[in-house]
Amino acid sequence: MADEESSPNRYPLIDRERVFEFLIEQPSRQELVDTSTGIILYLEDISVSFDGFRVLNNLTLYIEVGELRCIIGPNGAGKTTLMDVITGKTRPSHGSAYFGQRLDLLRMTEPQIASVGIGRKFQKPTVFEQHTVHANLELAMEGEKRVWPTLFHTLTGEEKDRIEEVLDMTSLIEERGKLAGALSHGQKQWLEIGMLLMQNPLLLLVDEPVAGMTQQETEATSVLLTRLAGDHSVVVVEHDMEFVRSIAKQVTVLHEGSVLAEGPFDAIQEDPAVREVYLGI
């Protein structure tokens, strides 16, 4: 648990309307979110029940600014529901969820949560298959989304540079003119991550990024996510333990909706409780 001095509950909330006025006046998300304590995400005593079954059970989790955290656990441990709570898709029956010191996620809608810098990539990639890779990134760019301005928007030099940067980061430079539907499965996953990066998220949630990938694609994804950490906080839900080993400094293990264990991969792997409920040994 966070100590009393650093708990976001000790800071007054900004009214929702005022938050989005502030976004217009001061576009710096870092200033809006306020990560001066070094923590970007606070989840405290979160509980979620469906039809009388408790999916999350007084779950507490803190994510640091710029860290890459892996979350593992058996099926039914609550991993997807956890992501749903962070992004506003599911409302908990109990607990608190803050983005930085100021923003109460439980008082915000899904679009509002996305607009302040939380991006989520689902397991199955969703790209515009009839558009080129470059066009997908351009369409995903942060900014005006109404149809008329989008149709007639001319890219600035800064926007062109950002697209080039993301193409390079996602290993899609040579595929820029290719239709997204013609990409391999792994390349589609990278493109969707790239589309999220065009929104400049502070926190990136990634669900099973290497499922169905070749070994070469898996290794490239490891490099990509490791590279993103630092500039972004990255939370990865994954079942592939070798992949988790390759990227994780901190691992959180969920079991029956609660945090069972947390720490470096090697310590987690040797934890008797983890071996019993997750590794089956």
Side-chain angles (χ1 to χ4, degrees):
M1 295 290 290
D3 62 43
E4 199 174 4
E5 290 301 319
S6 64
S7 172
N9 295 319
R10 293 179 60 83
Y11 291 77
L13 296 179
I14 293 178
D15 180 82
R16 279 184 293 178
E17 288 72 21
R18 177 61 189 143
V19 164
F20 294 98
E21 289 175 10
F22 187 87
L23 273 174
I24 295 172
E25 298 168 8
Q26 301 287 342
S28 169
R29 284 176 173 169
Q30 286 85 353
E31 187 174 1
L32 172 66
V33 174
D34 184 4
T35 57
S36 58
T37 63
I39 304 294
I40 195 168
L41 181 68
Y42 300 79
L43 301 177
E44 297 183 336
D45 299 323
I46 295 289
S47 292
V48 174
S49 297
F50 296 126
D51 298 324
F53 176 74
R54 185 164 286 193
V55 182
L56 294 181
N57 184 17
N58 295 321
L59 182 145
T60 293
L61 177 72
Y62 305 106
I63 302 296
E64 296 182 4
V65 175
E67 83 161 298
L68 195 166
R69 177 74 63 88
C70 287
I71 297 180
I72 65 174
N75 291 334
K79 301 183 297 296
T80 298
T81 304
L82 171 62
M83 296 281 213
D84 288 346
V85 168
I86 296 170
T87 55
K89 184 177 180 181
T90 294
R91 300 296 182 185
S93 57
H94 180 266
S96 60
Y98 282 79
F99 192 40
Q101 288 290 313
R102 292 194 175 106
L103 300 185
D104 182 351
L105 297 177
L106 304 187
R107 296 176 60 195
M108 300 169 68
T109 65
E110 289 184 70
Q112 287 171 343
I113 290 172
S115 74
V116 296
I118 297 180
R120 180 179 184 180
K121 187 211 168 301
F122 292 88
Q123 180 180 353
K124 183 178 179 181
T126 303
V127 298
F128 301 110
E129 296 202 346
Q130 299 306 311
H131 292 277
T132 65
V133 168
H134 189 283
N136 269 264
L137 295 179
E138 185 175 348
L139 288 168
M141 188 175 298
E142 181 182 24
E144 178 62 78
K145 295 301 179 185
R146 289 178 298 174
V147 173
W148 194 257
T150 300
L151 286 174
F152 294 96
H153 176 68
T154 300
L155 291 175
T156 66
E158 185 178 350
E159 289 170 337
K160 290 177 181 178
D161 289 344
R162 178 56 178 164
I163 290 176
E164 290 301 310
E165 180 184 8
V166 171
L167 284 169
D168 176 62
M169 188 176 297
T170 55
S171 303
L172 293 173
I173 287 282
E174 295 182 2
E175 280 71 34
R176 68 168 68 241
K178 184 181 291 187
L179 292 179
L183 298 176
S184 71
H185 172 71
Q187 289 172 329
K188 288 179 181 177
Q189 297 278 33
W190 301 338
L191 177 56
E192 188 172 28
I193 291 174
M195 292 169 71
L196 287 175
L197 293 177
M198 295 304 299
Q199 295 290 313
N200 295 311
L202 298 177
L203 173 63
L204 189 60
L205 309 175
V206 186
D207 192 2
E208 297 191 39
V210 299
M213 284 190 179
T214 65
Q215 183 61 35
Q216 184 177 7
E217 289 174 336
T218 297
E219 291 172 359
T221 303
S222 173
V223 172
L224 171 59
L225 294 177
T226 302
R227 184 178 176 186
L228 292 180
D231 291 332
H232 311 267
S233 302
V234 184
V235 175
V236 178
V237 169
E238 184 53 66
H239 286 291
D240 187 325
M241 295 298 287
E242 286 306 311
F243 178 73
V244 171
R245 181 196 295 272
S246 73
I247 66 172
K249 291 185 178 179
Q250 282 288 108
V251 179
T252 297
V253 184
L254 300 189
H255 177 57
E256 296 182 348
S258 299
V259 174
L260 175 67
E262 203 165 68
F265 182 89
D266 289 341
I268 290 298
Q269 190 176 39
E270 296 303 319
D271 187 293
V274 174
R275 293 168 69 86
E276 179 181 354
V277 306
Y278 186 67
L279 302 178
I281 53 179

